[in-house]
Amino acid sequence: MSPGAGSALTFLAAAVHAKAVAEIGTGAGVSGLYLLRGMAADGVLTSVDLEAEHQRLAREAFVAAGFPPQRYRLITGSALDVLPRLIDHGYDLVLIDGDKVEYGEYFDEALRLIRPGGMIIFDNALWHDRVADPSQRDPQTTAIRELISRVRADETLRSVVIPLGDGLLAVQVGS
Ligand SMILES: C[S@@+](CC[C@H](N)C(=O)[O-])C[C@H]1O[C@@H](n2cnc3c(N)ncnc32)[C@H](O)[C@@H]1O
């Protein structure tokens, strides 16, 4: 995640007064750090990743940045197995940065997890400029393109693609 996109995440987490954030794709904790900086001082980041080794690196990064362990909960597992166990409408913000092919299924889960007025954010909305190029039809590009079309067609949602880094698609769910 680029510093520009990360700053946008910090800003959006602060704008929705995020106390509870769910993240798909912990990675090495870069996006997690940007989210934690914008969240309420007692807010908790719940982050899911398939790879325990990635989460070990993220934990190191959170410790090094001075965030106490009660500020984050790292769950190792496949997002589509873990997300159904998270509480309905219990999250102020959901960040999605896992397997691009599964973005549509993550969106279904995120719509259940998010509280009214909350925000769902997808990283890689531009997907290396492939989404805007109709000749690109690989599964990742197609999944992101279909997601953006679905969001735009739904009049109950407000959305914007923020062209920072590899693009963020931010979706606000009715308040
Ligand atoms: C681009 S990286 C995330 C980077 C992270 N958000 C950051 O800024 O540091 C994508 C992550 O998604 C994880 N991932 C891929 N497929 C997944 C799945 N089905 N369920 C959960 N995590 C998955 C990968 O292991 C990887 O760590």
Side-chain angles (χ1 to χ4, degrees), residues 10 23 28-38 45 58 61-63 65 67:
T10 302
E23 178 183 50
V30 177
S31 49
L33 281 173
Y34 283 112
L35 288 167
L36 284 163
R37 288 184 194 128
L45 171 70
F62 297 162
V63 169
F67 290 105

Side-chain angles (χ1 to χ4, degrees), residues 61-86:
F62 297 162
V63 169
F67 290 105
Q70 61 270 24
R71 293 287 316 275
Y72 48 90
R73 177 168 68 131
L74 303 182
I75 304 175
T76 309
S78 154
L80 294 178
D81 291 336
V82 173
L83 295 177
R85 306 204 302 260
L86 303 185

Side-chain angles (χ1 to χ4, degrees), residues 13-112:
V16 299
H17 307 290
K19 274 194 83 159
V21 173
E23 178 183 50
I24 302 165
T26 316
V30 177
S31 49
L33 281 173
Y34 283 112
L35 288 167
L36 284 163
R37 288 184 194 128
M39 292 168 65
D42 59 346
V44 176
L45 171 70
T46 298
S47 188
V48 182
D49 202 293
L50 270 179
E51 302 290 341
E53 176 59 16
H54 295 187
Q55 291 187 319
R56 191 185 64 73
L57 296 172
R59 186 174 280 104
E60 272 182 19
F62 297 162
V63 169
F67 290 105
Q70 61 270 24
R71 293 287 316 275
Y72 48 90
R73 177 168 68 131
L74 303 182
I75 304 175
T76 309
S78 154
L80 294 178
D81 291 336
V82 173
L83 295 177
R85 306 204 302 260
L86 303 185
I87 190 164
D88 290 10
H89 309 302
Y91 294 87
D92 306 298
L93 189 154
V94 178
L95 174 67
I96 297 177
D97 191 16
D99 182 347
K100 310 308 155 193
V101 174
E102 295 184 346
Y103 266 25
E105 290 162 279
Y106 299 157
F107 189 44
D108 293 334
E109 289 295 329
L111 287 170
R112 182 184 59 75

